[in-house]
Every structure is written in structure tokens, then in C-alpha cells.
């Protein structure tokens, strides 16, 4: 179907010439057309311009966007939205004063989710996960990365990644799958890390590669979880199966993990609530995308990623939700963008860049997603009538989205 959007008040992230990402001071520039139109042919953006040169086409679907903003759909490059059950009890424990580490030490946290996941059958996990996926699509997400990591067994990790594969097959949203067997050490391996690493490298990875279930590999590089050396072992094993790394790092402590990730050519390093000058130096000039997860900081009441320091140093930055049952039970990218502006002092221009083109880069799809560029997928957000796109982060508790288009079709 051919669709023409007309009378767009502000058309954001318009890029005639493709860029992979934007960095440093360039993040403050968000290319925009006012009083604009976009032509969609099938699943792709065919053309765009201002209303003084709108094409006169007959027998096509036309959508009048008067007073509305149109922008690329969000690209959420870090989620754990495939899981079983919830961890509401831990939410109350945290209110009552228990820390993340204390909850984990008494069998909560990741191991709690692993227990629920391994007890649930695949169809149950799929049904719960598709409801979450449908919700984030309605909230404007057109591309999403989904991790495993709540199995921590061969069968559990395969179950999760098979669910992700089913979601890919049944929904138009772009989905990337990440193998996160190195999320935590199961209780049986608490004192025998090398045996669990052997399980990841010699049993999980070959099975996952055999079925083609993963695009990337991940590890929780953090004090009390996977050390730098252990994570390097995971990254090196992933390379043998052509799986680039996307690593959890520097959430609570800085232990030299970022330098190791850059050395191994990680596509992204995610969290970064704690960041040293050496970490910034390691990232400078690299191909590794730093990813901030502000709604995780909000939910856990931990520091926010030091965005202003990073941008001042010339780094790029992506924003993602970290959607998971324990520390960020929300996949709302609109809240992420607003929180980045309110708590991390990103400008709306920087936040939109971080949540679209840079988010696409962090999942390896910036060639096809993340901007209004001819030939890219027609994944678009149409807002309700607003005074400007600044209203989206300003009204942080409101849903200002009227329609979402994914692959050229309005989703219901």
C-alpha cells in the first residue's frame, strides 16, 4: 500500500544522507522539516519534503497530520522482556530498605526469575512476552533487542531464545536476540565459576548457534557477578560464532570492564551509572556505543549515567529501557526519553537522537532504522496534536502518541 502523510507540523530526524550514529556536540542537532509530508511505499520510506512540493497522487491512503509531530519509531537496544511471572515481592522488599545485593543474596533477583522461567513451559512464556511486546509497540517502539539470561541452564536459555524467535516470526517490529547465559552464576555453580563458563561455552553456545537463535552475546560484568577475565572468555567464545558483544558493565562499580569490552570490539556497553575518566578515554574514538538506562536508575534510586560529561567528551550515547521484571518493569521509551531530559539534563534533541539513530546503531540496524531516510523501514510515530516535540518529554506522564506505523502499516 502507498500512504502519504501530509501537513506534518514537525518531521524529526530527517536525514537525506545516511549516518550510522551521532556523537558529542552533534547530538544536539536534530534535523527537522516543518509543514512536511512523507510518502510510504509498502514497508519503506519513499520520499519526504515540505508541503509546498507535496506530490499529487490519486488512489492512495492519505493521513492528515495537522498539528502533529512525526518521528522515527523508538529503537530500544536493551531489554529482557521475555520472562515468566514477576518480582513484585522484591519491589516491596526494596521499599522496606533491602538493597539489590541483599535481595540477590537471599535468592532473589536474577535467580528468582530463573526459577520461574525454568518452571514455565515455552508457550506460557511466549504468551506473557507477546503481551509485553504488543504494549511497547503501541508505545512507539519499532525495533527492540531482547536478551535471554533467565534460564541459566541449557534448556532454559534455549527456551527463551526460541520464544524470541517466535516473536520475530509473528510481529513486524524489528527484533534482535542476545544470548545472556552469563547473567548470574546459578546456585550450583556459585563456588565453581569455571564449570559454569564451560557450560556456556561448550554446551549453550553450540546449541544456540546450531539453531541460529542469537545475534549477539552479553554478560553481566560486575563485582559479584562476572569478572573482567570471565567476561573476556565469554566475548571470545561468542566471536567464534560471529556473535558481537553487548555487555552489561559499570552498573555499580568500575573494574576495568569498559576497556576490555572496547578491546574485544563490543557493539555496545550498557548501564554506565559509574564511569571513570579512564572509561571515557577507552570509549573515545571506538566503535562501541555507550547505552544509558535511565528508568533503571529511577526504579532503583541509583546514580544516573553521567551524560553531560560523556557528550562533552565527544562520545555518542543511546537510550534504552532495560525492560525486565526486577529492576525496570517498564518498556516505555517515552518515559526513558523524558527521564533522560529531566534527570540526566539531556536536551530533547539529544534524547531523540539517542533513542532513534543511536539506538539503532546499538542493535546493528542503523542502515535500515532510526531516521527518516529514503529506503529505510517506514517505522514512524504520529503524535497527538502538540505545540512542539518538546511536549513529549515535558508531559512525562502522558501518552502523546496517536498512531504508530511499523513497516508501513498502522498497528492497532
Amino acid at each position: 500500500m502507498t500512504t502519504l502523510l501530509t501537513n506534518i507540523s514537525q518531521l524529526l530526524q530527517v536525514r537525506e544522507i545516511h549516518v550510522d550514529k551521532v556523537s558529542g556536540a552533534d547530538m544536539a542537532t536534530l534535523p527537522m522539516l516543518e509543514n512536511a509530508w512523507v510518502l510510504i511505499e509498502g514497508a519503506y520510506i519513499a520520499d519526504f519534503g515540505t508541503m509546498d512540493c507535496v506530490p499529487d497522487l490519486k488512489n492512495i491512503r492519505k493521513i492528515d497530520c495537522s498539528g502533529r509531530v512525526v518521528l522515527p519509531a523508538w529503537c530500544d537496544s536493551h531489554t529482557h522482556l521475555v520472562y515468566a511471572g514477576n518480582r513484585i515481592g522484591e519491589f516491596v522488599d526494596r521499599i522496606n530498605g533491602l538493597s539489590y545485593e541483599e535481595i540477590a543474596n537471599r535468592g532473589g533477583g536474577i535467580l528468582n526469575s530463573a526459577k520461574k522461567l525454568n518452571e514455565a513451559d515455552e508457550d506460557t512464556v511466549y504468551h506473557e512476552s507477546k503481551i509485553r511486546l504488543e504494549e511497547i509497540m503501541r508505545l512507539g517502539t519499532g525495533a527492540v533487542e531482547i536478551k535471554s539470561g533467565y534460564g541459566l541452564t541449557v534448556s532454559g536459555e534455549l527456551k527463551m531464545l526460541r520464544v524470541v524467535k517466535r516473536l520475530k516470526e509473528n510481529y513486524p517490529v524489528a527484533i534482535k536476540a542476545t544470548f545472556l547465559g552469563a547473567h548470574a552464576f546459578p546456585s550450583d555453580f556459585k563456588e565453581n565459576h569455571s564449570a559454569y563458563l564451560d557450560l556456556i561455552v561448550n554446551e549453550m553456545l553450540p546449541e544456540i548457534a546450531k539453531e541460529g537463535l542469537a545475534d549477539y552475546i552479553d554478560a553481566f560484568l560486575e563485582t559479584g557477578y562476572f569478572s573482567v577475565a570471565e567476561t573476556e572468555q565469554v566475548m571470545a567464545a561468542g566471536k567464534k560464532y560471529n556473535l558481537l558483544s553487548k555487555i552489561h558493565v559499570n552498573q555499580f562499580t568500575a573494574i576495568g570492564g569498559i576497556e576490555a569490552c572496547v578491546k574485544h570490539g563490543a557493539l555496545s556497553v550498557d548501564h554506565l551509572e559509574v564511569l571513570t575518566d579512564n572509561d571515557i578515554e577507552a570509549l573515545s574514538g571506538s566503535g562501541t556505543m555507550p547505552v544509558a538506562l535511565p528508568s533503571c536508575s529511577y526504579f532503583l534510586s541509583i546514580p544516573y549515567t553521567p551524560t553531560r560529561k560523556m557528550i562533552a567528551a565527544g562520545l555518542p550515547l543511546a537510550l534504552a529501557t532495560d525492560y525486565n521484571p526486577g529492576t525496570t518493569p517498564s518498556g516505555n521509551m517515552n518515559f526513558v526519553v523524558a527521564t533522560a531530559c529531566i534527570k540526566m539534563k539531556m536536551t530533547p534533541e539529544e534524547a531523540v537522537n539517542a533513542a532513534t539513530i543511536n539506538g539503532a546503531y546499538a542493535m546493528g540496524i542503523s542502515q535500515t532504522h532510526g531516521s527518516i531516510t529514503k529506503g529505510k523501514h517506514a517505522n514512524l510515530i504520529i503524535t497527538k496534536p502538540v505545540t512542539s516535540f518538546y511536549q513529549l518529554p515535558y508531559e512525562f506522564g502522558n501518552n502523546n502518541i496517536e498512531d504508530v506505523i511499523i513497516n508501513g502499516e498502522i498497528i492497532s
Side-chain angles (χ1 to χ4, degrees), residues 42 60 62 74 111 114 123 154 172 184 231 235 241 246 257-258 264 269 302-303 319 335 352 365 402 410:
I60 65 169
K62 293 184 179 180
W74 307 124
L111 297 185
D123 285 341
V154 176
T231 302
M235 290 191 286
Y241 297 95
K246 288 170 58 63
I258 289 177
H264 282 268
V269 285
I302 61 175
L319 292 170
F335 180 75
V352 171
I365 59 170
E402 186 164 278
I410 298 174

Side-chain angles (χ1 to χ4, degrees), residues 59-326:
N59 301 318
I60 65 169
R61 177 173 60 182
K62 293 184 179 180
I63 301 175
D64 185 353
C65 297
S66 296
R68 291 157 175 80
V69 172
V70 173
L71 67 155
W74 307 124
C75 297
D76 187 354
S77 67
H78 183 128
T79 83
H80 307 253
L81 72 74
V82 169
Y83 58 87
N86 61 60
R87 288 178 12 213
I88 291 173
E90 294 177 15
F91 171 62
V92 178
D93 288 340
R94 197 172 292 111
I95 291 171
N96 287 325
L98 291 183
S99 69
Y100 182 95
E101 291 80 7
E102 288 169 331
I103 290 169
N105 288 338
R106 55 187 232 171
I110 295 165
L111 297 185
N112 184 359
S113 285
K115 181 175 183 295
K116 296 177 189 296
L117 187 286
N118 284 299
E119 290 173 349
D121 62 69
E122 183 180 312
D123 285 341
T124 298
V125 178
Y126 174 78
H127 177 73
E128 293 182 9
S129 301
K130 79 181 185 68
I131 292 171
R132 299 182 196 110
L133 181 62
E134 290 167 2
E135 178 189 30
I136 67 169
M137 289 168 65
R138 289 191 296 269
L139 289 168
T141 293
V144 61
E145 181 258 18
I146 306 174
K147 304 177 188 295
S148 66
Y150 292 133
L152 307 184
T153 61
V154 176
S155 61
E157 292 295 305
L158 287 170
K159 182 194 301 181
M160 292 188 73
L161 290 169
R162 286 170 183 152
V163 167
V164 178
K165 183 178 180 180
R166 288 172 66 180
L167 294 172
K168 283 186 182 184
E169 292 168 348
N170 294 330
Y171 288 89
V173 61
I175 297 175
K176 290 292 186 178
T178 298
F179 168 50
L180 179 54
H183 202 187
F185 287 97
S187 299
D188 292 346
F189 295 90
K190 191 172 182 181
E191 305 302 326
N192 192 355
H193 288 193
S194 61
Y196 185 60
L197 285 165
D198 285 343
L199 186 69
I200 290 172
V201 172
N202 298 318
E203 294 190 44
M204 293 183 186
L205 260 174
E207 285 296 319
I208 289 164
K210 181 180 175 182
E211 294 189 36
L213 294 175
D215 302 294
Y216 301 109
I217 194 166
D218 195 350
F220 188 10
L221 199 173
E222 183 55 73
T223 300
Y225 290 86
F226 287 79
S227 69
V228 173
E230 290 165 343
T231 302
E232 287 189 298
Q233 186 176 341
V234 170
M235 290 191 286
K239 284 181 184 177
K240 294 179 181 178
Y241 297 95
N242 297 314
L243 301 180
L244 285 177
S245 304
K246 288 170 58 63
I247 303 296
H248 288 63
V249 63
N250 284 47
Q251 182 174 6
F252 302 110
T253 57
I255 55 175
I258 289 177
E259 184 177 359
C261 292
V262 172
K263 181 179 73 174
H264 282 268
L267 177 61
S268 73
V269 285
D270 304 29
H271 273 293
L272 316 181
E273 289 88 346
V274 178
L275 206 65
T276 69
D277 291 341
N278 287 338
D279 294 328
I280 290 176
E281 184 177 350
L283 286 165
S284 296
S286 75
T288 301
M289 176 64 70
V291 180
L293 311 170
S295 50
C296 178
S297 295
Y298 172 86
F299 192 77
L300 290 181
S301 298
I302 61 175
Y304 290 86
T305 302
T307 307
R308 295 265 48 98
K309 183 176 182 180
M310 297 168 71
I311 293 174
L315 297 182
L317 186 73
L319 292 170
T321 64
D322 194 23
Y323 193 0
N324 75 80

